[in-house]
Amino acid sequence: MSYHLSTLFIILLFLIFLAAFFSGTEIGMMSINRYKLKHLVKKENKQAVRVNQILSRPDRLLSVVLIGNTFANILASTIATLIGQHIYGDAGIAIATVLLTLIILVFAEMIPKTFAAIYPQKVAFATSLPLQILQLIFAPLVYITSFMSNGVLRLFRVSLDKAQKESLTGEELRSVVHEAGGLLPIEHKSMLISLLDLETATVEDIMIPKSDIVGIDIEEPWSEILYQLETAKHTRLPLYRDSIDELVGMIHVRDVLNLAIENELDLESLLEVADKPYYIPEATPLNLQILNFRKMKRRSSFVVDEYGNIQGLVTMEDILEEIVGEFTTDVAALSRGITPQSDGSVIVDAGLTLRHLNRLMGWQLPMIGPKTLSGLIVEHLGYIPPPDSCLTIENYRMEVLKVGDNTIKSLRVFKINKKKHK
């Protein structure tokens, strides 16, 4: 009889282990990172391919797990009852029920499921082969249970064929990048986030304002035009008559050099080699404009509003800097219009864009609405303030220094460290 009792204990332990196997398998399979799994499948990892095949039919996976778990738990309960009754008589039934419930809860549920939740890939890969074999063994029963459960789901208009495909929104993808932790260098993480932001930013956000466009007025004397060509800091220069609103074309310094080498440099030849102006709406998203530049084989374009009036200039370099950051080697150019003061304040050109200031100074000025610092202040107050006016926006105290031509020219900015009140 003792031999019979020891056999029952061995079978009971095996069934508890079996229940733990199915519990851990369920959590491991359902918790595995699907994007890591797809990456491993592309690398032809055999275990990943097997897990991916199993997960392609979650109804069959859950059928096997539930069938196996139910079978193990019911049989374990029966055997535990026999053991308890044999040792303690009728009272052993209650004792066995309580003890078995506690053992299954801890060793067949909590421990394997917790371990599988922490190491889902290890558990999924390790259990994939046994699970695949069990799917073949229980195939008829799996088919019947899956058919019945899917039939009930169809009554609630739930179908596996119409299951939503896994995809990430832009915000979710940003979260994935942020959670990459030490797997990605900070610079790479920043570039990926900036790349995702291209779909929300427009050319108006990064364009060179109309007032800052450097070009050549072809109505100027030829000697003045030559001087501007010789001292130009840009590789491309717009040509215009009297004002930038009367554009004639865009000239590349390389073409000017070629004309100079051939001794054919004059105003007429300059106009002949100039490219026709390329115009884009101010609301064009940056990710779309990259494609437009490639399609049109252009590197710069003029930004216009809904009335066709020129608002600014945007180049391919400007968009690239949105992704990789400022890559000019001219430090003075980066900080042009920004002058730090000894008292910790900064004198700022109010025509600078909020995007540029936030990036360069590490500020967090609100960018919903106006694009420039001047526009932000005017919208905040509702009027153009006179010089010496002071105001506070977010954590920044601003003092207007100069106003002219119906716009704010410059101001002093103090960053305020607000204390949190308990």
Side-chain angles (χ1 to χ4, degrees), residues 29-39 52 55 58 166:
M29 284 287 180
M30 304 309 292
S31 300
I32 192 170
N33 188 309
R34 302 298 178 93
Y35 299 98
K36 283 186 179 180
L37 181 64
K38 289 179 180 179
H39 174 68
N52 191 55
L55 288 174
E166 289 187 31

Side-chain angles (χ1 to χ4, degrees), residues 33-326:
N33 188 309
R34 302 298 178 93
Y35 299 98
K36 283 186 179 180
L37 181 64
K38 289 179 180 179
H39 174 68
L40 292 173
V41 169
K42 289 180 181 178
K43 295 178 69 173
E44 298 182 354
N45 182 292
K46 292 183 179 179
Q47 290 177 313
V49 171
R50 188 161 51 237
V51 171
N52 191 55
Q53 289 175 345
I54 294 173
L55 288 174
S56 64
R57 288 301 302 266
D59 56 329
R60 294 179 181 178
L61 163 64
L62 293 175
S63 293
V64 171
V65 168
L66 293 176
I67 289 170
N69 213 350
T70 302
F71 168 79
N73 287 330
I74 291 176
L75 193 56
S77 177
T78 302
I79 292 178
T81 300
L82 292 175
I83 294 174
Q85 192 174 26
H86 177 76
I87 297 176
Y88 299 105
D90 292 338
I93 298 176
I95 295 173
T97 301
V98 173
L99 289 177
L100 182 64
T101 300
L102 183 62
I103 290 172
I104 288 179
L105 182 63
V106 175
F107 295 97
E109 292 291 332
M110 291 298 298
I111 292 177
K113 286 186 175 182
T114 302
F115 182 83
I118 298 173
Y119 303 104
Q121 183 173 307
K122 290 182 179 180
V123 172
F125 282 9
T127 59
S128 60
L129 182 58
L131 197 62
Q132 202 171 49
I133 295 173
L134 288 172
Q135 280 187 331
L136 295 175
I137 295 174
F138 295 142
L141 192 56
V142 167
Y143 176 81
I144 294 172
T145 55
S146 297
F147 178 78
M148 293 175 63
S149 62
N150 291 339
V152 174
L153 289 174
R154 288 191 188 94
L155 295 177
F156 295 94
R157 298 182 179 180
V158 178
S159 174
L160 292 178
D161 297 331
K162 296 181 179 179
Q164 184 177 2
K165 294 182 179 179
E166 289 187 31
S167 59
L168 290 177
T169 64
E171 290 301 321
E172 290 170 339
L173 194 52
R174 286 184 183 86
S175 299
V176 171
V177 174
H178 282 301
E179 292 175 3
L183 299 177
L184 284 175
I186 295 176
E187 294 82 2
H188 295 178
K189 190 183 298 185
S190 176
M191 283 191 283
L192 288 173
I193 295 297
S194 298
L195 193 60
L196 293 172
D197 287 339
L198 288 185
E199 64 182 15
T200 60
T202 64
V203 293
E204 184 185 13
D205 296 323
I206 67 166
M207 69 180 183
I208 301 168
K210 176 181 174 181
S211 57
D212 293 338
I213 297 177
V214 177
I216 296 176
D217 183 359
I218 61 174
E219 296 296 328
E220 294 282 341
W222 177 244
S223 59
E224 178 62 25
I225 293 176
L226 283 177
Y227 176 76
Q228 292 184 50
L229 291 172
E230 291 172 359
T231 58
K233 296 182 179 180
H234 304 280
T235 57
R236 294 173 180 80
L237 294 169
L239 303 179
Y240 60 85
R241 286 190 174 90
D242 296 326
S243 72
I244 198 67
D245 293 308
E246 299 295 330
L247 274 174
V248 175
M250 180 74 79
I251 188 71
H252 196 292
V253 173
R254 179 187 60 240
D255 297 325
V256 176
L257 290 175
N258 290 336
L259 291 174
I261 292 172
E262 297 173 1
N263 294 320
E264 296 180 356
L265 182 58
D266 55 31
L267 183 57
E268 184 179 351
S269 60
L270 200 63
L271 294 175
E272 287 179 358
V273 298
D275 295 324
K276 292 183 178 180
Y278 171 42
Y279 301 98
I280 57 173
E282 58 187 352
T284 305
L286 293 184
N287 58 341
L288 177 60
Q289 189 53 41
I290 288 181
L291 300 177
N292 290 339
F293 275 142
R294 186 173 65 180
K295 181 180 179 181
M296 302 294 293
K297 299 189 183 301
R298 297 269 190 164
R299 296 182 67 87
S300 61
S301 58
F302 291 93
V303 182
V304 297
D305 61 15
E306 57 183 321
Y307 303 106
N309 298 320
I310 294 177
Q311 301 299 306
L313 173 69
V314 66
T315 67
M316 188 65 180
E317 287 77 8
D318 296 327
I319 300 179
L320 291 177
E321 286 185 351
E322 282 295 300
I323 302 173
V324 302
E326 305 283 355

